[in-house]
Amino acid sequence: MKLAIIGTGNMGGAIARGLIAAGAWDAGNLICTAKTDASIARLQASLPGVQATKNNRQAASKADIILLAVKPWLMSEVIEEIRPALDFDRQLIVSVAAGISLREMELLLAAPGKPVLFRAMPNTAVAVRDGVTFICQQNATEEQMTVVEGLFAALGYTVVTDEQYLAAGTALASCGIAFAMRYIRAALEGGVELGFRPEEAARIVEHTVHGAASLLLQSGMHPEVAIDQVTTAGGITIKGLNAMERSGFTAAVIDGLKASL
């Protein structure tokens, strides 16, 4: 089975690297497109064995799964380019472009009948096979859904959902990567103020956040239960937590998520 990634930029490249690193896709069956010779050269250097081309239509014609990873404002132009090469009876079309609905995709494709379409919203951690991807579909069979879900499952955790929840999922998981990074940066700066060298503070905070997430994933505990395990009456942890709450920590996180919708 051949996969064409149309627009192998940040997200498309992350997906390609993750699939190959996971052993989920053979490089020879992966076709990646980019707009410039320089981008093609970078793809060939970073993803040995993949087919790299500037010809979107040619790439689409060879694929069983077409993953559209272009910017939303370029989607109409790219679909117009590849439409003559599409075979809706044979190919699965997956969009990772934010804000373009399945209905809008169908209208852009001008496909006869009921085309099989998917929207997938992955976060950038798919590059290290620890991402979160939300998936919805239109007209897909259970077998086709399994194929697309399996593709992203090789890159981390998947959530099959209704299209109406994609925006919320994007805020929680995709924007959430940046929100988590902002906490890490803040804690790093705090660590430096406490006396650690920047590089040492960075490693300490990164491993602490990784350990916290692993603890929850492996134990199934609610975060509040895990917090209770490290707080004691009159202790330093509860003092620190209360100071953060007085500064609006929880409210700021919730407000940030809502603002991202």
Side-chain angles (χ1 to χ4, degrees):
M1 183 173 285
K2 288 188 178 293
L3 169 66
I5 300 179
I6 308 297
T8 317
N10 289 336
M11 181 53 69
I15 292 170
R17 289 190 296 274
L19 287 172
I20 292 174
W25 215 274
D26 181 72
N29 288 325
L30 181 59
I31 311 165
C32 296
T33 76
K35 294 184 71 172
T36 67
D37 290 331
S39 297
I40 293 296
R42 284 194 295 270
L43 281 173
Q44 291 172 327
S46 63
L47 298 168
V50 304
Q51 303 174 55
T53 178
K54 292 190 292 184
N55 192 321
N56 290 330
R57 184 180 299 181
Q58 184 181 72
S61 70
K62 296 178 179 179
D64 301 293
I65 302 174
I66 299 168
L67 194 150
L68 299 169
V70 299
K71 299 296 185 184
W73 56 87
L74 293 175
M75 187 65 79
S76 178
E77 174 187 334
V78 169
I79 286 179
E80 185 70 24
E81 178 185 357
I82 69 173
R83 188 187 295 116
L86 299 179
D87 181 349
F88 297 107
D89 293 327
R90 178 177 67 84
Q91 296 170 316
L92 305 180
I93 299 173
V94 184
S95 168
V96 297
I100 298 180
S101 69
L102 290 169
R103 176 58 179 160
E104 288 169 327
M105 284 288 298
E106 184 178 23
L107 292 174
L108 287 172
L109 288 162
K114 294 184 176 182
V116 178
L117 304 175
F118 297 85
R119 286 184 67 192
M121 291 291 108
N123 65 19
T124 53
V126 295
V128 292
R129 308 190 302 283
D130 203 9
V132 176
T133 303
F134 292 83
I135 307 169
C136 64
Q137 57 82 21
Q138 176 177 292
N139 303 322
T141 65
E142 185 174 337
E143 181 180 5
Q144 291 167 329
M145 186 72 240
T146 298
V147 169
V148 173
E149 186 180 5
L151 187 155
F152 288 101
L155 306 176
Y157 181 66
T158 61
V159 181
V160 177
T161 188
D162 293 331
E163 189 171 23
Q164 62 180 315
Y165 297 113
L166 284 193
T170 300
L172 197 58
S174 298
C175 301
I177 287 280
F179 301 157
M181 295 293 185
R182 181 58 60 88
Y183 166 79
I184 290 170
R185 190 191 77 176
L188 187 163
E189 292 175 354
V192 173
E193 187 170 338
L194 293 174
F196 292 100
R197 297 189 310 276
E199 298 80 7
E200 189 175 19
R203 299 294 85 77
I204 291 168
V205 175
E206 288 160 3
H207 282 285
T208 299
V209 172
H210 182 272
S214 296
L215 183 63
L216 295 178
L217 287 168
Q218 292 179 31
S219 69
M221 282 190 294
H222 188 280
E224 204 60 37
V225 174
I227 289 171
D228 286 344
Q229 290 183 351
V230 294
T231 54
T232 56
I236 59 173
T237 302
I238 192 62
K239 290 177 181 178
L241 288 169
N242 287 341
M244 289 181 183
E245 288 303 328
R246 285 194 296 272
S247 295
F249 182 82
T250 297
V253 172
I254 295 171
D255 286 349
L257 289 167
K258 289 180 176 179
S260 300
L261 292 176

